[in-house]
Amino acid sequence: WHLFVSETAKKFLASEEPDIASFLLLQMSLFQYPSGMGGAYSSNSDGFRLQANARNRNLEFITSGMHLCPLRLIVSALYADSELREVPLLESSVSVPEVYAIANDNSVNKKALPNPRSIKIALQKARNGVIKPPSRYEQRFHLLGHLGLFRIEEQIIRVRESFGEADQRDLVNKLQSILRIENQFNDFDNVTNGKDLKDQLINGNWGRYFDGIVTLNNDIIEALTSETWLKSEPIQVQQLPVSYKPVAETYPLIERDEV
C-alpha cells in the first residue's frame, strides 16, 4: 500500500497547530460534481472498485453536462441576494431550499463558476416558485460552519458576524476571491460508462486537481488562508483575576512507611 498526502493537507493539517478552516476552504473552493468520490478497495485485495451508488450518480451528472461547485454556487447566491434585496453583502442570506432549487437549474449548473446573471435570475425564480428544489435532498451543509465564513440558522445561510472593520474587509476579500476561481475539472466529460470513470480516477488527475495548493493561484491561496484581521485588530479580552494555589496543596504528598 502507498498512501499519498496532498500538498494542502501537508501544509495545513500536518503541523503542531492544524489550520482546519484554511484546509477546508481551499478544498471546498475546488470541490465539484461530478467528483472523484466513490472509490474503494477490498479488504483482502489491492483491486480498486467504484461504489455503485457513487458511480451511477456521477454518470448521471456527466450525462447532463454538470460542472457544479457548491461553495462557489452559495457565494454567488449571496451576491445575488445582496443585489435583489439591495442589502450589503455581509447582510445577505439564502435558504437551503433555494440553493437546491438553483443548483438543479440547467442555466446554472453547467459551470463550476456560474454566470452571475444566471444565478440572479434563477434565485428570483426560486423565490417566485417558478423553479423548486427536489422533493428529497440531503442537507450536507455542516461543513460550511467550519470554513470561518458562514453561519446557518433554521436552514438560512448567512455570512458570519464580523469582529470589526478589518474582519469585515477580510470576509469580503475571501468571498470575492472564491468567485475569482475559474478552475474546473473537465476530465470526466468524455466518460460514458463505469469503466471509463474508473480509469479516470485511477490516472490521478482528479486528485491533482482537488489539491488547493497545487491548483489555485498564489494570490487566491493567500486571500483564502490569511488571518490579517487577527493581527491588525486584536480582540480585547476582559482580564479576570486568577487565584493561584500551589500544586503541593492541591495534591498533598502522602507519607508512606519505607520497606
Side-chain angles (χ1 to χ4, degrees):
W1 290 83
H2 298 274
L3 301 179
F4 298 92
V5 179
S6 70
E7 295 302 317
T8 310
K10 290 177 185 177
K11 181 172 178 62
F12 294 101
L13 299 183
S15 64
E16 293 182 358
E17 297 183 1
D19 186 350
I20 297 173
S22 292
F23 171 80
L24 288 175
L25 190 52
L26 290 175
Q27 298 304 93
M28 294 306 294
S29 295
L30 288 173
F31 181 79
Q32 69 173 63
Y33 294 105
S35 72
M37 296 191 303
Y41 288 89
S42 301
S43 57
N44 298 320
S45 166
D46 62 354
F48 176 78
R49 63 182 176 84
L50 291 178
Q51 297 174 333
N53 57 343
R55 178 198 62 211
N56 295 340
R57 192 181 186 197
N58 270 328
L59 290 175
E60 182 181 347
F61 291 153
I62 293 167
T63 301
S64 68
M66 178 182 290
H67 300 89
L68 174 67
C69 175
L71 181 59
R72 283 181 252 177
L73 177 79
I74 290 169
V75 175
S76 296
L78 290 173
Y79 270 88
D81 174 70
S82 174
E83 293 184 13
L84 289 172
R85 294 196 296 120
E86 298 182 346
V87 298
L89 175 62
L90 297 183
E91 296 178 16
S92 61
S93 63
V94 63
S95 72
V96 170
E98 287 168 352
V99 170
Y100 275 98
I102 62 180
N104 283 275
D105 187 82
N106 289 331
S107 67
V108 169
N109 61 26
K110 296 298 186 288
K111 292 184 178 181
L113 181 60
N115 179 278
R117 184 173 182 275
S118 298
I119 286 282
K120 186 176 178 181
I121 293 173
L123 182 58
Q124 187 65 68
K125 287 182 177 179
R127 291 177 173 176
N128 292 338
V130 177
I131 59 175
K132 301 179 182 296
S135 57
R136 297 178 61 187
Y137 50 83
E138 298 178 6
Q139 298 189 34
R140 298 180 177 179
F141 287 86
H142 60 282
L143 283 178
L144 291 181
H146 300 287
L147 300 181
L149 291 179
F150 308 102
R151 58 191 173 100
I152 305 176
E153 299 171 350
E154 299 179 350
Q155 289 200 315
I156 302 296
I157 302 170
R158 296 183 174 89
V159 182
R160 67 163 173 79
E161 295 181 0
S162 63
F163 300 115
E165 292 184 4
D167 187 27
Q168 290 178 1
R169 291 192 295 270
D170 189 63
L171 284 171
V172 172
N173 187 37
K174 282 182 168 62
L175 294 172
Q176 290 176 341
S177 297
I178 290 172
L179 296 190
R180 289 170 47 217
I181 299 173
E182 298 181 353
N183 303 76
Q184 177 174 292
F185 189 75
N186 298 314
D187 287 18
F188 293 139
D189 290 2
N190 296 322
V191 165
T192 59
N193 53 50
K195 181 182 181 304
D196 292 344
L197 181 59
K198 179 180 176 182
D199 291 342
Q200 278 294 339
L201 293 180
I202 289 175
N203 70 28
N205 286 343
W206 166 261
R208 284 182 284 274
Y209 162 81
F210 190 45
D211 189 349
I213 291 295
V214 174
T215 301
L216 294 172
N217 294 334
N218 289 335
D219 59 331
I220 291 178
I221 294 172
E222 174 64 25
L224 295 183
T225 61
S226 69
E227 295 182 343
T228 53
W229 66 272
L230 287 174
K231 302 173 186 176
S232 60
E233 193 169 303
I235 302 172
Q236 298 297 322
V237 180
Q238 181 181 3
Q239 296 295 323
L240 299 177
V242 178
S243 59
Y244 171 75
K245 188 174 184 180
V247 175
E249 294 182 16
T250 306
Y251 304 101
L253 298 175
I254 300 175
E255 295 185 4
R256 300 184 185 275
D257 296 333
E258 295 289 342
V259 179

